[in-house]
Amino acid sequence: MKTIRMLSLAALQGLVVWGAAHAEPAIFKDADLALGQKLIAQNRCSECHTQRVGGDGSAIYRPAGRISTAGLLRGMVEQCNTELGLGLFPEEVTSIAAVLNRDHYKHK
């Protein structure tokens, strides 16, 4: 019985640690990641970023601490949406930002 209880406690602790490591900001809670990935490809975001910063374009994801929160990240995607006239809906902007957070920023 003691062994089972110890295993259960270890499993619960592991689950808590896993959940904390995989936590996402509340702003991205209901984001559709598959949609975000699709929209990034459709709108050729990487091509634009490459033109702006050179290289493979990934330097745009860490502009000297400018995007230090999930909300600022979503705002930056909205700025691209507005400046480029993409016509994205708010939930689409959130989905794109959630993908960028998952892949580059890792805001909790």
Side-chain angles (χ1 to χ4, degrees), residues 4-74:
I4 292 173
R5 201 174 318 147
M6 287 176 62
L7 286 174
S8 295
L9 180 58
L12 181 59
Q13 287 171 335
L15 185 59
V16 168
V17 169
W18 179 87
H22 292 87
E24 64 182 18
I27 194 171
F28 302 140
K29 180 179 172 275
D30 295 323
D32 183 340
L33 296 175
L35 174 62
Q37 287 181 285
K38 177 182 166 188
L39 290 167
I40 288 169
Q42 271 181 347
N43 290 292
R44 301 184 339 217
C45 299
S46 295
E47 290 176 33
C48 182
H49 292 176
T50 299
Q51 289 173 348
R52 287 182 178 241
V53 298
D56 66 359
S58 65
I60 205 163
Y61 298 121
R62 287 289 176 194
R66 241 176 68 197
I67 302 173
S68 58
T69 68
L72 288 173
L73 173 57
R74 193 199 174 284

